[in-house]
Amino acid sequence: MNEFSLIERYFQPLSPVLLKDDAAVLSIPAGHELVVSSDTLNEGTHFIAGADPADIAHKALRVNLSDLAAMGADPLAYQLNIAFSAMPDEIWLEAFTAALAADQAAFGIFCSGGDTTSIKGPLSISITAMGVVPAGQAVTRGGAEPGDVLLVSGPVGGAFCGLQALQRQPGFTVSEALIEACYRPCPRTDLAEAVRMYAHAAVDISDGLVADLSHICEASGVKAVLEAETVPLSEEVKVLLRSGAVSRESLLSGGDDYQLLMAVPPQHTQHFPGSTVIGRFEEGAGVRVQDVDGQVLSFKEKGWTHF
Ligand code: ADP
Ligand code: MG
């Protein structure tokens, strides 16, 4: 199989666009803007060699869908760029593309093309996702205002605990659900409309709650006060915290949960059912993480950085 038969056999079925031209032509609804985001997964950095191709596919697409949700955009189409060190076998390709097809149906997005290349190195998969928002309604990290509350869309720390178990930390066992949390995050595309209607700023939690919150603060020129004890945790993660198997600091700085963090005027929190108020924005700069007594909790590591 060469790359042309690969595209025809495995990637064309993912796409309503005829994958024979140099580029795709996409229409977007009148009065809308295009929101574009890319995320890359590299073997060795984001997944281990020999990882389940379905897991790789789900994660590669979902992290991009999460970025669109954080901007308040609805999914439209994505480009799939892959560098293979050797042509993968058909079992791998079947599993990889079946997982993409399932997520396309689940999240309402289609493949509009991509690029297939060879690499003298590990597998690399880069997806560029495109979404649409009514013109002028995209939400950035830069709009948080003093007086806004800080909302998180769901429990955090699960992916961190799953990763600890995968890396076989001694005495650390967790449920399948937490393992899945690292491989198959649930992008909050369901919140995109509420985000664009009611949030002043939003970010998805990919690097870690505190790190991603500091991105909002920097971009918005405000200070955030995070009440550490109010951050929602799943029952299983609560047990791990109580037993001392994980620290609150690592739950607040571990990444990969893909929940949304949002700055919302207090009167609009009811538009985010299932979300929790975990702090507020004030005049100033930086992130203050405090316990129930208002004592500052200091952080060695705020979140993941590549370099
Ligand atoms: P070029 O040589 O101009 O880069 P390609 O042969 O890479 O053209 O691409 C031909 C067509 O196949 C294009 O429509 C492109 O979008 C599509 N394509 C290539 N690789 C992929 C991929 N990994 N997934 C989906 N479509 C792809
Ligand atoms: Mg190409």
Side-chain angles (χ1 to χ4, degrees):
M1 196 164 42
N2 62 26
E3 74 257 35
F4 304 108
S5 40
L6 168 74
I7 292 165
E8 168 132 14
R9 175 132 177 237
Y10 288 100
F11 299 140
Q12 182 64 74
L14 298 173
S15 183
V17 176
L18 183 64
L19 299 181
K20 291 207 185 292
D21 287 317
D22 287 308
V25 180
L26 303 177
S27 33
I28 61 171
H32 285 65
E33 288 173 311
L34 195 64
V35 174
V36 185
S37 173
S38 297
D39 255 314
T40 301
L41 299 190
N42 296 327
E43 183 179 290
T45 303
H46 301 95
F47 58 89
I48 53 171
D52 178 349
D55 286 337
I56 300 171
H58 284 303
K59 184 144 185 183
L61 186 53
R62 291 179 184 194
V63 295
N64 278 282
L65 289 164
S66 177
D67 286 325
L68 295 182
M71 298 291 294
D74 294 321
L76 175 70
Y78 70 96
Q79 294 283 118
L80 174 62
N81 305 313
I82 309 190
F84 292 118
S85 58
M87 184 58 75
D89 63 39
E90 307 204 346
I91 294 171
W92 194 98
L93 287 165
E94 296 277 358
F96 181 77
T97 51
L100 288 175
D103 276 357
Q104 288 186 196
F107 297 105
I109 194 165
F110 62 85
C111 178
S112 51
D115 197 25
T116 306
T117 54
S118 63
I119 184 172
K120 289 191 172 53
L123 175 64
S124 178
I125 296 170
S126 182
I127 287 186
T128 296
M130 290 162 276
V132 289
V133 284
Q137 289 186 25
V139 177
T140 66
R141 298 173 176 185
E145 292 174 20
D148 287 344
V149 295
L150 171 62
L151 272 187
V152 67
S153 60
V156 301
F160 173 83
C161 293
L163 187 65
Q164 299 305 297
L166 281 173
Q167 293 174 342
R168 298 188 201 289
Q169 302 299 327
F172 207 97
T173 47
V174 300
S175 68
E176 263 314 296
L178 291 193
I179 302 285
E180 260 209 31
C182 354
Y183 284 138
R184 301 183 183 195
C186 294
R188 300 305 308 266
T189 48
D190 57 313
L191 291 177
E193 186 177 0
V195 166
R196 63 181 177 256
M197 299 285 287
Y198 302 108
H200 282 160
V203 67
D204 67 331
I205 304 177
S206 54
D207 295 335
L209 194 157
V210 174
D212 288 313
L213 179 55
S214 71
H215 297 149
I216 292 187
C217 291
E218 275 159 37
S220 301
V222 293
K223 170 183 177 181
V225 179
L226 171 65
E227 308 283 356
E229 256 107 328
T230 63
V231 173
L233 306 172
S234 70
E235 287 309 316
E236 185 176 0
V237 171
K238 276 186 205 161
V239 171
L240 292 167
L241 177 65
R242 269 190 243 114
S243 73
V246 289
S247 66
R248 198 176 288 277
E249 172 173 345
S250 24
L251 296 177
L252 296 183
S253 52
D256 275 3
D257 285 308
Y258 299 97
Q259 293 293 344
L260 299 182
L261 268 182
M262 298 160 288
V264 176
Q267 69 274 22
H268 289 318
T269 55
Q270 85 269 16
H271 300 291
F272 299 87
S275 297
T276 309
V277 175
I278 59 170
R280 62 189 177 275
F281 292 92
E282 299 178 346
E283 308 256 353
V287 176
R288 177 188 168 98
V289 188
Q290 60 184 38
D291 66 12
V292 265
D293 306 319
Q295 297 293 323
V296 176
L297 302 172
S298 65
F299 275 69
K300 284 191 277 330
E301 292 289 335
K302 292 198 178 74
W304 166 261
T305 53
H306 277 278
F307 299 103

